[in-house]
Amino acid sequence: MRPFTYERALDPVSAAARAAEVPGARFIAGGTNLIDLMKLEIETPDHLIDVNGTGLDEITVTEDGGLRIGALVSNTDLADHDVVRRDYPVLTRALVAGASGQLRNKATTGGNLLQRTRCPYFYDTAQPCNKRAQGSGCAALSPGAHSRQLGIIGVSDACIAQHPSDMAVALRVLDAVVETMTPAGDIRLIPLKDFHCLPGSTPEKESVLMDGEIITAVYLPPPVGGKQAYHKVRDRASYAFALVSVALIRHPDGSGRVALGGVAPKPWAMDEADAELPNGAKAVMAKLLEGARPTEENAFKIRLAERTLAAMLAGE
Amino acid sequence: MKFEEPTSDNLFDRAMVIGKATPRIDGPLKVSGQAPYAYERHDVVEDQLVGYPLGATIGRGRITAMDTEAARNAPGVAAVVTTLDIDPLEISSFNNARLFGGNEVRHYHQAIAVVVAETLEQARHAAEMIDVTYEEEEGNFDLEKAWQNGLGTDEADAETGNVDEAFASAEVTLDETYRTPDQSHAMMEPHSSIADWSDGENMTVWTSSQMIAWARKSLAETFDIDEDRIRVESPFVGGGFGAKLFLRSDAVLAALGSRAAQRPVKLTLPRPFIFNNATHRSATIQRIRLAAGQDGRLTAIEHEAAAHEFEGGGNEENPTNLTKLFYAGANRRVKHHDVVLDLPESSSMRAPGEASGLMAFEIAMDEMAEKLGMDPVEFRILNDTQVDPMNPDVPFSDRNFVDCLKVGAERFGWSDRNRKPGDTRDGLWMVGHGMAGAYRGAPTLTSGARVRLERGHLTVETDMTDIGTGSYTILAQTGAEMLGLPLEQVTVKLGDSRFPASSGSGGQFGAASSTAGVYAACVALREEIARRLETDDVRFEDGNVIAGNKAIPLEEISADAEITAEDTMEFGDFQDDLEIGTFAAHFVEVGVHAATAEVRVRRMLAVCDAGRILNPVTARSQVIGGMTMALGAALSEQLAVDKPRGYFVNHDLAGYEVAVHADVPDQEVIFLDTLDPAISPLKAKGVGELGICGVAAAIANATYNATGIRVRDYPITLDKMLDRLPETF
């Protein structure tokens, strides 16, 4: 861990302003990912701005009947919230499928969106990784490398890392919108589908956030109803990242929405794929995973995603 | 004392304390955080500094330069010792990979520097500042390739009868190849040591070791100093599973750091460093051929295997070892190839050889039973043997494998099992049942102890370790039984090189050997008391020594001065003329998700035959721990080898998936009421390694039974079955 300086921010406006002003600054909330990465010197911020005192920890019902979730609401509190459990059950199910109880107590809504990949080559600073060290190469793409967990779609020649979040997959299927504040004090609303970047040739850039911009809340639209489910597939029953996860909202008329986790650098969903829901899982995945470019080790994820969705559709 | 022949009836048969379900006597210390584990021993020596290791980042090659200037000048840094600063340390007789020194890199994360600073953060940060230049060399990291080249070459390790003829004339045969991956011990407490070698003369190491005497000898050999100048303490160990049998880099780096900084240094190996720096269980590839008549009797067994080892050897993972002994059959050939690879050092991990061997062999037995149209339980019963099948003059001392099978089948409800693969459903889950046999030898090692009786309180001192197994408790029980004392009147002190050398903990020899050592010391103490009473007819009961018709409280006998005695139990050659082993039968129910092929274990039963069970509480804990470890081995544990770069990629506990609580279902353990007079005066054998044996194969067989898909390549992950599951579910 590199030495760093530290301050507490008391409101989002000053947090964003300070972050833009101090070189090498990063926000810290729950710290469940950032601190681990700092210990390994994968993240090396010069300055930490602790945003836990900024008051962004409330869940409120919005005028249009949706929900505003403060960026600092813990994963535990969000999963346990009455309205979430009643009207957005896919979100509760995704949250409790992630991490462990202790981690969910500390992890925040904003931080969860920004957690970094679990690619084992990203985690070993001795190995080439374009995401960690731009231009150093991608160890995971070399023949004989270990890529079983990694992404199959939306990936590039520079990076095949996957986004590890469960929560974000549910937020994607719920069509959530991320609210931010810029260093100038302006509020920005970014649909979750546009929030994360694909790696292309710049895998180090993972979201559209500008320097200093801070997540202040996540909006959920008014409840869409339907049957909601989240199926996370993994080798052990708990405390493992998804090989594939599927978030599903399905209406009585057969229409609905699907989002995938564990397969791409961001929660993976597509309107054209949703339109295929009445035609079954194969049809959905044919659209959703069209152009997938898996490695030999993770090619099974295509079939797995298809079968998982099929089981969810059959399970109704 | 020497154990020269099988014991007759003795005082353990009255079993006042031994054999009773007794909670750990060290439990309160552990749950209140007061048990002194190595890294937290802040009170043993003042002015401790903190060390942090740096590991090589190539699989093979040499270091041409190390720039340490920035690290040496970093805040708080007291010393930096690099591998280029010193001559290569000796490789001790217990090690194969050199632990430190010289410019040669022989495996990924080989220790190449230690930074010593006032705080962990300072040491860690300074270690990152060291700039290393390598000259990388091509390495050989591919076991599969070596197997293809080696298959069928070399002489058999053991052979009886005419194997080729038996196969040629057999009515039913099987010929399959099985694979088990590299595995990590992944014990909860990392390798940790505090070393004080401040004066460069006398060394004290507070560490986490299974074997005190070996650690001391290793340190002496590694640093070429006299053993008498070294003291080792390890009273509590947070899990070992073989990882802590031998000296590791934590103690070596702490000692070097201490000598350089002239202050005590504490050092723990960071978790992501352990997987490649320390040892692991080697992967194996195993070809198994079986031949039988239609009657189900095995006529021939052939087992050829390969595992990898570090140059110089040391790998105990020979999966063919127990194939010589487990089942009957007149014709047999076993052969094992130790392949030298440039991966980190393969070494002992819980039931080395047996664990991986049975993972394969007990699937083969299941496959053969199916070919024969037999119940796999019946097939094993039919092929039981009471003698070494390759040396029929050598009998098993006490083998009750058939009883394990029968009791297990009864208790599990085997007759109600799913019979046709893929035939039982519970919603989206396909339900299957499987079983396997287990066999693990029961070795003994020389073990000594000292006992002190003072005011009626007995203190037992031995360098035996408690690696979470329950040694404290069973040794207290042994002392209490021998002296007729209640358990509360016995204190046990372990893990200190100032105490008499014991067997240590490993190879499931610890319980049998160390209790026998305490027995020997207690016999000496009883004789001393008898001598003082000028009689040789004494009994010890209810806190009294009874001589003739007189009962004298032990408190009175030892009121004025402590009475001490010391002895060592040695085990006689007669044991070499017997096969002394432990046996088990495992029964498992699994669910396999019909869509995703996720496997989840629903219930597990073990029936064990291990002689007298010294303490059913701690013995059960050992066995369910083994079952849990085997569950991980069956379904998720695998060190992934990066073949171009030559290292284990998933080197942390997020990437190397051991079983978690949610994976572990109802577990039941039944101990048969058996006694083995050939093992020791206590007639008790170990169970710590028996618990992991055979379990993974039972899960594999249950998975086959659930799905009709046979996976012969561990771990049984969903990607290996997905394409063979039914299209609809």
Side-chain angles (χ1 to χ4, degrees):
Chain A
M1 185 182 276
R2 302 254 176 99
F4 58 89
T5 51
Y6 169 90
E7 71 176 83
R8 287 197 180 95
L10 296 177
D11 58 76
V13 183
S14 58
R18 285 289 288 158
E21 180 180 303
V22 184
R26 293 288 307 268
F27 300 118
I28 185 163
T32 56
N33 193 206
L34 181 61
I35 289 178
D36 285 353
L37 295 170
M38 286 170 66
K39 286 177 183 171
L40 296 165
E41 299 204 358
I42 295 164
E43 293 268 14
T44 54
D46 297 311
H47 184 70
L48 287 185
I49 300 169
D50 184 337
V51 297
N52 284 297
T54 53
L56 301 170
D57 52 2
E58 290 192 354
I59 301 175
T60 46
V61 177
T62 58
E63 273 178 23
D64 65 355
L67 218 51
R68 182 181 192 275
I69 303 158
L72 290 171
V73 172
S74 76
N75 287 179
T76 299
D77 289 345
L78 182 56
D80 196 37
H81 194 268
D82 286 345
V83 176
V84 176
R85 290 171 63 148
R86 190 188 65 213
D87 295 337
Y88 308 94
V90 66
L91 180 55
T92 291
R93 288 185 185 137
L95 281 162
V96 300
S100 66
Q102 294 95 324
L103 287 166
R104 293 196 295 268
N105 287 341
K106 288 298 288 177
T108 63
T109 305
N112 189 316
L113 289 176
L114 295 175
Q115 67 178 301
R116 308 204 65 192
T117 184
R118 295 286 167 164
C119 173
Y121 297 101
F122 174 75
Y123 262 81
D124 189 333
T125 51
Q127 298 303 329
C129 170
N130 290 319
K131 186 185 278 299
R132 177 170 31 74
Q134 217 180 343
S136 61
C138 173
L141 275 171
S142 50
H146 179 52
S147 58
R148 185 168 176 270
Q149 287 274 346
L150 303 179
I152 58 170
I153 193 157
V155 295
S156 73
D157 290 341
C159 181
I160 60 168
Q162 90 288 30
H163 197 269
S165 173
D166 291 298
M167 183 195 80
V169 182
L171 291 182
R172 178 70 182 86
V173 87
L174 289 167
D175 234 350
V177 174
V178 181
E179 180 199 87
T180 69
M181 181 164 287
T182 69
D186 298 327
I187 289 172
R188 238 193 354 149
L189 294 175
I190 310 164
L192 187 73
K193 70 183 169 65
D194 303 325
F195 182 80
H196 295 100
C197 302
L198 293 183
S201 59
T202 54
E204 72 285 357
K205 183 166 173 55
E206 293 175 354
S207 78
V208 298
L209 290 176
M210 300 180 292
D211 277 354
E213 188 171 9
I214 184 172
I215 300 174
T216 47
V218 172
Y219 283 100
L220 295 182
V224 294
K227 287 194 172 165
Q228 304 190 2
Y230 187 77
H231 192 130
K232 180 175 182 179
V233 184
R234 42 190 160 174
D235 292 324
R236 63 180 173 194
S238 177
Y239 202 52
F241 295 97
L243 292 167
V244 162
S245 68
V246 181
L248 172 68
I249 297 175
R250 201 167 186 224
H251 301 295
D253 65 359
S255 70
R257 299 171 54 85
V258 179
L260 296 183
V263 296
K266 61 190 280 188
W268 200 249
M270 207 177 278
D271 292 345
E272 300 90 316
D274 292 342
E276 296 290 339
L277 257 178
N279 301 322
K282 258 192 184 357
V284 172
M285 291 305 162
K287 277 271 183 259
L288 194 50
L289 296 177
E290 192 180 351
R293 32 183 289 181
T295 64
E296 198 179 318
E297 269 193 10
N298 66 19
F300 71 92
K301 288 189 175 191
I302 296 174
R303 187 113 180 81
L304 182 59
E306 193 181 292
R307 293 183 66 95
T308 305
L309 177 61
M312 293 167 83
L313 295 175
E316 285 180 0
Chain B
M1 180 181 285
K2 196 156 186 186
F3 187 59
E4 299 268 32
E5 57 183 39
T7 188
S8 51
D9 288 350
N10 60 42
L11 87 169
F12 294 107
D13 295 310
R14 72 180 182 178
M16 305 293 280
V17 191
I18 279 288
K20 299 286 182 274
T22 308
R24 285 164 205 275
I25 59 172
D26 50 328
L29 276 184
K30 287 185 171 173
V31 298
S32 61
Q34 295 175 83
Y37 288 91
Y39 196 70
E40 288 135 22
R41 302 194 71 180
H42 311 302
D43 56 339
V44 291
V45 58
E46 292 195 341
D47 291 331
Q48 295 177 22
L49 292 166
V50 183
Y52 199 83
L54 182 69
T57 57
I58 58 170
R60 173 146 199 181
R62 57 193 65 247
I63 297 170
T64 53
M66 291 179 82
D67 182 354
T68 59
E69 202 189 332
R72 288 181 202 277
N73 293 325
V77 171
V80 176
V81 183
T82 78
T83 195
L84 300 183
D85 294 342
I86 64 167
D87 289 335
L89 293 176
E90 288 299 318
I91 299 170
S92 90
S93 43
F94 298 93
N95 294 78
N96 293 288
R98 192 186 309 284
L99 293 172
F100 199 73
N103 68 350
E104 198 182 12
V105 175
R106 294 298 308 275
H107 64 91
Y108 200 80
H109 280 176
Q110 173 182 319
I112 57 169
V114 57
V115 176
V116 176
E118 295 292 338
T119 69
L120 169 71
E121 290 76 13
Q122 290 169 334
R124 183 171 58 195
H125 177 48
E128 287 293 333
M129 294 178 184
I130 298 173
D131 200 19
V132 188
T133 313
Y134 298 99
E135 206 172 270
E136 207 168 342
E137 287 167 22
E138 200 75 359
N140 183 11
F141 310 113
D142 194 343
L143 180 63
E144 191 69 45
K145 202 159 79 186
W147 166 255
Q148 298 301 343
N149 293 338
L151 183 65
T153 65
D154 296 342
E155 295 293 298
D157 299 328
E159 185 162 3
T160 47
N162 191 329
V163 174
D164 297 327
E165 201 170 280
F167 274 104
S169 62
E171 290 170 325
V172 182
T173 61
L174 174 98
D175 183 354
E176 294 291 353
T177 300
Y178 306 85
R179 287 169 175 79
T180 67
D182 292 287
Q183 296 169 347
S184 176
H185 310 82
M187 63 285 161
M188 193 170 309
E189 181 201 26
H191 303 272
S192 305
S193 293
I194 299 171
D196 186 2
W197 200 18
S198 306
D199 61 4
E201 290 288 322
N202 298 306
M203 181 191 293
T204 305
V205 181
W206 296 269
T207 189
S208 182
S209 170
Q210 299 175 224
M211 308 291 292
I212 301 297
W214 293 4
R216 189 168 176 229
K217 185 161 188 277
S218 261
L219 283 164
E221 291 174 356
T222 302
F223 292 112
D224 193 22
I225 60 175
D226 198 299
E227 253 192 81
D228 295 340
R229 284 164 48 196
I230 301 170
R231 192 156 86 70
V232 175
E233 265 193 42
S234 180
F236 285 90
V237 178
F241 311 121
K244 296 170 181 169
L245 281 172
F246 312 115
L247 182 67
R248 305 277 15 128
S249 65
D250 57 312
V252 171
L253 296 178
L256 288 169
S258 171
R259 186 173 63 176
Q262 300 180 338
R263 277 169 64 180
V265 169
K266 72 168 182 173
L267 184 144
T268 188
L269 300 188
R271 184 68 71 178
F273 188 67
I274 292 175
F275 295 80
N276 286 285
N277 174 260
T279 59
H280 63 276
R281 187 200 300 279
S282 166
T284 71
I285 303 176
Q286 308 176 40
R287 180 185 181 194
I288 296 172
R289 296 173 73 205
L290 300 176
Q294 286 294 358
D295 62 356
R297 287 190 191 279
L298 286 167
T299 54
I301 299 173
E302 183 171 22
H303 193 170
E304 181 170 358
H308 63 87
E309 65 180 12
F310 198 82
E311 195 174 324
N315 181 28
E316 300 294 326
E317 200 66 37
N318 179 347
T320 67
N321 261 342
L322 48 78
T323 308
K324 296 173 203 162
L325 290 160
F326 197 7
Y327 293 108
N331 306 290
R332 190 172 314 229
R333 179 158 62 212
V334 305
K335 188 195 293 182
H336 178 63
H337 307 274
D338 273 320
V339 176
V340 174
L341 293 184
D342 296 308
L343 286 167
E345 182 174 342
S346 304
S347 186
S348 296
M349 178 168 147
R350 202 172 196 171
E354 291 86 359
S356 62
L358 287 166
M359 283 172 84
F361 201 86
E362 288 296 300
I363 297 183
M365 288 294 284
D366 199 61
E367 298 199 66
M368 195 63 177
E370 188 180 33
K371 285 192 171 211
L372 289 159
M374 285 184 76
D375 174 349
V377 173
E378 291 303 323
F379 178 49
R380 286 171 174 84
I381 291 173
L382 186 66
N383 287 290
D384 186 51
T385 177
Q386 291 294 318
V387 297
D388 174 350
M390 299 184 89
N391 300 289
D393 295 342
V394 177
F396 283 94
S397 59
D398 190 55
R399 169 170 166 142
N400 303 286
F401 178 47
V402 169
D403 289 341
C404 293
L405 292 162
K406 287 181 174 169
V407 170
E410 170 71 27
R411 184 68 75 100
F412 187 75
W414 185 245
S415 57
D416 298 330
R417 71 188 182 280
N418 175 56
R419 283 167 193 267
K420 190 177 155 215
D423 210 31
T424 299
R425 288 288 289 262
D426 177 3
L428 275 172
W429 293 88
M430 302 186 280
V431 179
H433 302 100
M435 57 80 52
Y439 165 42
R440 169 69 170 105
T444 44
L445 293 185
T446 300
S447 197
R450 182 160 56 225
V451 286
R452 306 172 180 275
L453 186 68
E454 190 180 16
R455 295 170 210 271
H457 189 93
L458 185 75
T459 300
V460 177
E461 295 173 346
T462 162
D463 86 351
M464 180 61 187
T465 49
D466 189 324
I467 61 173
T469 43
S471 309
Y472 278 104
T473 310
I474 58 168
L475 295 181
Q477 289 174 281
T478 305
E481 192 77 64
M482 286 297 291
L483 272 297
L485 288 167
L487 203 59
E488 306 73 55
Q489 285 303 317
V490 183
T491 298
V492 178
K493 295 183 177 174
L494 300 181
D496 189 324
S497 60
R498 292 174 298 190
F499 300 153
S502 71
S503 62
S505 301
Q508 97 169 6
F509 51 64
S513 307
S514 66
T515 53
V518 171
Y519 164 84
C522 288
V523 168
L525 181 68
R526 289 163 56 120
E527 285 170 359
E528 172 60 21
I529 292 168
R531 195 187 58 77
R532 292 185 186 196
L533 296 175
E534 296 176 343
T535 171
D536 38 68
D537 178 25
V538 290
R539 285 178 295 134
F540 292 79
E541 285 174 18
D542 302 326
N544 299 312
V545 51
I546 298 162
N549 53 9
K550 220 169 111 190
I552 312 158
L554 287 178
E555 200 175 344
E556 198 175 296
I557 292 268
S558 55
D560 301 330
E562 178 183 85
I563 308 172
T564 69
E566 182 177 333
D567 201 1
T568 294
M569 179 64 86
E570 293 172 66
F571 295 87
D573 296 340
F574 82 94
Q575 290 189 333
D576 298 341
D577 301 327
L578 295 166
E579 278 304 332
I580 307 179
T582 60
F583 302 87
H586 291 280
F587 293 80
V588 167
E589 178 180 303
V590 304
V592 181
H593 196 278
T596 65
E598 288 164 288
V599 182
R600 300 289 181 251
V601 179
R602 294 156 69 110
R603 60 189 175 108
M604 306 174 88
L605 166 69
V607 183
C608 302
D609 164 33
R612 185 191 309 284
I613 297 305
L614 300 168
N615 182 348
V617 172
T618 52
R620 178 179 183 277
S621 169
Q622 282 285 286
V623 175
I624 62 172
M627 290 158 77
T628 302
M629 206 165 184
L631 196 161
L635 300 179
S636 59
E637 291 185 39
Q638 172 170 30
L639 287 169
V641 179
D642 183 309
K643 283 186 187 139
R645 297 174 187 83
Y647 76 111
F648 299 126
V649 184
N650 48 340
H651 54 78
D652 60 30
L653 289 177
Y656 185 81
E657 293 189 13
V658 300
V660 295
H661 280 285
D663 292 304
V664 182
D666 285 341
Q667 295 176 318
E668 189 182 355
V669 181
I670 296 168
F671 293 109
L672 294 184
D673 191 15
T674 57
L675 299 170
D676 193 340
I679 181 82
S680 87
L682 286 85
K683 308 178 187 176
K685 296 178 279 198
V687 295
E689 301 199 342
L690 180 64
I692 196 175
C693 290
V695 182
I699 294 170
N701 295 337
T703 304
Y704 169 74
N705 181 254
T707 60
I709 301 167
R710 186 66 79 173
V711 178
R712 302 182 183 89
D713 176 15
Y714 289 99
I716 305 165
T717 47
L718 55 88
D719 43 312
K720 295 168 185 170
M721 293 188 281
L722 210 52
D723 285 337
R724 292 189 275 165
L725 284 173
E727 196 59 32
T728 52
F729 26 85

